[in-house]
């Protein structure tokens, strides 16, 4: 017990605890945003907003890649105390991502009318999404710098400010008559404000800009490719099942499944702060040729215990949880909530292991993730004859994914690479 208290008093432990607790409540606050929208928007308007959100998830696949890339590279530079490269890398990223952001934004603006017809929505919302593309890329870069610097307290505070601004501005815009478009615009306005505040937090590392000469970027072609696969897998595994259910079943059944998904993601979002810690912390240790085993074991144990605890609560009190969070109209799926909750625990553990393997230069593990991404919709189309079958298929896929990653991590064939550069401390 004394040893645990001593560990908890270290700077790293305090920062980790603050980061986790802050982000745990932050994710709940973000979840509250959807509950608020359900109160202020009519069902057709909320469905319209979800179509925008789905499109934003697809657009976020490249930003997920950028997050992993920036976090690892900047953490490596920081581990080597290479402040000049940290500065130059920032402007290198801005130069590389700006053309892509402008291109995607222009495509959204040009196709706003046909997209609005397809999704039965308003063209102005897609114009807003187009404008927000570059803002989203910029926000991703500056927030990833903050993560790589392990400035967890300011990052957590900014997250709360972002969520608060999003809710307040969105409600105001909805009240003045903008409906679902107001909710989208509220997210964009809050994103601009938070980007500027985050930029202020990292100003000492990026201002004034240095010349781009002598910038040596690590050979990260494989890392970038597999980071894209990681982002692709994360986004699609969270949304493909909902889209397939929408196609296969009636709207009522689709709504029931969506409620399960939202409730199950509470566990995933609750664990994501711990998952987010492993990449910068393990990358920093790895770059210094120090042991990263303790980081993996301690954070992994935290993900496992908290995840299993949350899923157990969902399994023991599904009726109460659904009544409070979703409403009595969703009680039909009470018996499936526990299955979905444990599915999300498996998903969280898979993401944790993948993040660690990426931090220690074993990015090929993402091919297993890609396989699961491909199998999921095929399996649901082939065998998903009921909502229960879809839930069980997802359960099986995620636990097979987790088992495969554990085998990859512990396989004797890669024992020479396992915990590469680790030394007993």
């Amino acid at each position: 017990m004394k040893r645990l208290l001593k560990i908890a008093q270290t700077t790293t432990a305090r920062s980790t605890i603050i980061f986790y607790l802050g982000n745990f409540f932050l994710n709940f606050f973000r979840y509250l945003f959807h509950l608020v929208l359900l109160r202020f928007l009519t069902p057709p308007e909320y469905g319209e907003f979800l179509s925008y959100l789905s499109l934003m998830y697809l657009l976020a696949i490249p930003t997920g890649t950028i997050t992993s890339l920036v976090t690892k590279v900047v953490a490596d530079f920081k581990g080597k105390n290479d402040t000049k490269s940290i500065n130059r890398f920032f402007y290198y990223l801005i130069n590389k991502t700006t053309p892509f952001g402008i291109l995607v934004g222009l495509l959204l603006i040009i196709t706003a009318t046909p997209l609005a017809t397809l999704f039965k929505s308003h063209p102005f919302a897609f114009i807003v999404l187009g404008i927000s593309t570059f803002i989203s890329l910029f926000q991703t870069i500056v927030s990833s710098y903050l993560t790589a610097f392990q400035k967890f307290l300011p990052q957590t505070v900014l997250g709360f400010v972002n969520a608060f601004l999003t809710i307040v501005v969105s409600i105001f815009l909805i009240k003045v008559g903008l409906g679902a478009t107001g909710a989208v615009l509220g997210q964009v306005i809050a994103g601009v404000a938070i980007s500027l505040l985050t930029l202020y937090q990292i100003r000492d590392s990026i201002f004034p800009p240095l010349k781009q000469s002598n910038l040596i970027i690590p050979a990260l072609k494989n890392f970038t490719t597999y980071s894209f696969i990681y982002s692709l897998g994360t986004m699609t595994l969270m949304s493909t099942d909902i889209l397939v259910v929408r196609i296969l079943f009636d709207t009522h059944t689709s709504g029931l499944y969506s409620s399960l998904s939202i409730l199950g993601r509470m566990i995933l979002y609750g664990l994501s702060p711990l998952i987010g810690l492993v990449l910068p912390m393990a990358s920093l240790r790895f770059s210094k040729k120090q042991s990263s085993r303790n980081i993996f074991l301690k954070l992994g144990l935290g993900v496992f215990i908290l995840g299993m605890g949350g899923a157990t609560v969902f399994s023991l009190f599904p009726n109460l949880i659904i009544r409070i969070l979703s409403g009595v109209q969703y009680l039909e799926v009470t018996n499936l909530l526990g299955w979905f909750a444990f599915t999300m625990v498996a998903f969280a553990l898979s993401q944790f292991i993948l993040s660690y393997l990426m931090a220690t230069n074993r990015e090929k593990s993402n091919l297993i993730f890609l396989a699961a991404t491909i199998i999921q919709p095929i399996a649901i189309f082939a065998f998903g004859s009921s909502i229960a079958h879809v839930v069980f298929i997802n359960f099986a896929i995620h636990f097979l994914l987790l088992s495969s990653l554990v085998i990859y991590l512990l396989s004797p064939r890669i024992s020479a690479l396992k915990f590469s550069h680790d030394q007993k401390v």
Side-chain angles (χ1 to χ4, degrees):
M1 186 65 182
K2 290 182 178 179
R3 185 179 179 183
L4 290 175
L5 290 175
K6 185 177 180 180
I7 293 174
Q9 292 174 358
T10 64
T11 302
T12 301
R14 285 199 301 269
S15 298
T16 302
I17 293 170
I18 291 171
F19 181 82
Y20 175 76
L21 292 178
N23 278 273
F24 179 85
F25 289 108
L26 174 59
N27 283 333
F28 178 78
F29 205 53
R30 287 170 177 163
Y31 180 80
L32 183 64
F33 173 60
H34 288 273
L35 299 182
V36 171
L37 289 185
L38 286 171
R39 302 299 188 274
F40 282 89
L41 295 175
T42 64
E45 288 175 328
Y46 187 70
E48 182 183 344
F49 172 74
L50 285 182
S51 69
Y52 300 144
L53 194 62
S54 298
L55 183 58
M56 291 175 72
Y57 278 151
L58 294 176
L59 294 174
I61 291 174
T63 63
T65 306
I66 292 172
T67 298
S68 299
L69 176 65
V70 175
T71 301
K72 179 169 178 58
V73 172
V74 175
D76 286 345
F77 285 149
K78 187 174 186 296
K80 299 171 183 176
N81 200 28
D82 188 353
T83 57
K84 291 183 178 179
S85 291
I86 289 174
N87 179 292
R88 290 168 177 151
F89 187 58
F90 179 83
Y91 298 99
Y92 171 84
L93 287 168
I94 295 297
N95 291 333
K96 291 293 184 181
T97 58
T98 296
F100 173 80
I102 292 175
L103 176 62
V104 174
L106 286 175
L107 286 174
L108 281 171
I109 293 172
I110 292 171
T111 59
T113 299
L115 284 173
T117 302
L118 179 65
F119 290 103
K120 302 178 181 66
S121 54
H122 198 284
F124 179 67
F126 292 100
I127 294 175
V128 172
L129 287 177
I131 296 172
S132 71
T133 303
F134 176 74
I135 298 170
S136 177
L137 287 171
F138 181 78
Q139 184 178 3
T140 298
I141 293 172
V142 294
S143 62
S144 298
Y145 260 71
L146 209 59
T147 302
F149 292 157
Q150 299 187 27
K151 293 186 176 183
F152 300 136
L153 181 57
Q155 188 175 28
T156 303
V157 173
L158 288 171
F160 274 105
V161 174
N162 188 18
F164 178 76
L165 283 176
T166 300
I167 292 175
V168 172
V169 176
S170 296
I171 290 176
F172 172 77
L173 295 175
I174 291 170
K175 283 291 189 179
V176 299
L178 291 180
T181 304
V184 176
L185 188 56
Q187 289 184 312
V188 174
I189 293 173
V192 172
I194 294 306
S195 296
L196 295 175
L197 290 173
T198 307
L199 185 66
Y200 181 78
Q201 289 290 327
I202 63 172
R203 65 193 184 281
D204 292 338
S205 298
I206 63 173
F207 294 126
L210 302 177
K211 291 182 179 180
Q212 288 298 304
S213 59
N214 301 323
L215 174 62
I216 301 175
I217 301 174
L220 293 173
K221 181 180 179 180
N222 287 340
F223 182 85
T224 303
T225 300
Y226 292 120
S227 293
F228 178 80
I229 295 174
Y230 177 84
S231 180
L232 174 68
T234 299
M235 296 301 176
T236 54
L237 283 176
M238 287 178 61
S239 58
T240 301
D241 56 331
I242 296 175
L243 297 174
V244 175
V245 167
R246 187 77 177 178
I247 295 171
L248 293 178
F249 302 101
D250 59 79
T251 55
H252 177 70
T253 303
S254 174
L256 292 176
Y257 189 83
S258 295
S259 71
L260 282 175
S261 179
I262 290 173
L263 292 177
R265 287 182 195 179
M266 288 185 67
I267 292 177
L268 181 64
Y269 294 157
L271 297 174
S272 62
L274 284 179
I275 298 171
L277 285 170
V278 69
L279 183 59
M281 295 179 72
S283 293
L284 183 61
R285 291 286 187 94
F286 189 78
S287 67
K288 292 181 177 181
K289 299 184 179 181
Q290 295 177 348
S291 173
S292 58
R293 183 184 287 112
N294 286 340
I295 291 174
F296 175 81
L297 294 176
K298 290 175 182 178
L299 291 178
L301 184 62
V303 172
F304 179 80
I305 292 175
L306 292 173
M308 293 299 290
T312 300
V313 171
F314 273 49
S315 299
L316 293 176
F317 309 102
N319 189 290
L320 177 63
I321 290 172
I322 291 178
R323 282 179 180 273
I324 293 174
L325 298 179
S326 298
V328 295
Q329 65 269 33
Y330 296 102
L331 288 175
E332 293 178 52
V333 291
T334 299
N335 62 319
L336 298 175
L337 182 59
W339 288 95
F340 211 100
F342 281 107
T343 299
M344 291 296 100
V345 174
F347 191 17
L349 287 170
S350 295
Q351 285 190 309
F352 176 82
I353 294 174
L354 282 167
S355 295
Y356 178 77
L357 290 170
M358 289 169 66
T360 53
N361 289 353
R362 282 167 285 173
E363 302 92 351
K364 287 186 178 180
S365 54
N366 278 284
L367 294 176
I368 302 173
F369 205 22
L370 180 61
T373 302
I374 296 171
I375 291 171
Q376 185 196 49
I378 296 174
I380 295 176
F381 269 117
F383 306 107
S385 58
S386 69
I387 188 174
H389 287 167
V390 175
V391 172
F392 297 147
I393 288 169
N394 255 341
F395 178 85
I397 288 173
H398 280 286
F399 272 84
L400 283 173
L401 171 61
L402 176 60
S403 300
S404 300
L405 289 172
V406 170
I407 292 172
Y408 185 92
L409 182 69
L410 302 177
S411 173
R413 187 173 58 183
I414 60 167
S415 59
L417 297 175
K418 188 177 62 173
F419 299 116
S420 182
H421 295 297
D422 282 1
Q423 298 174 359
K424 292 185 178 180
V425 178

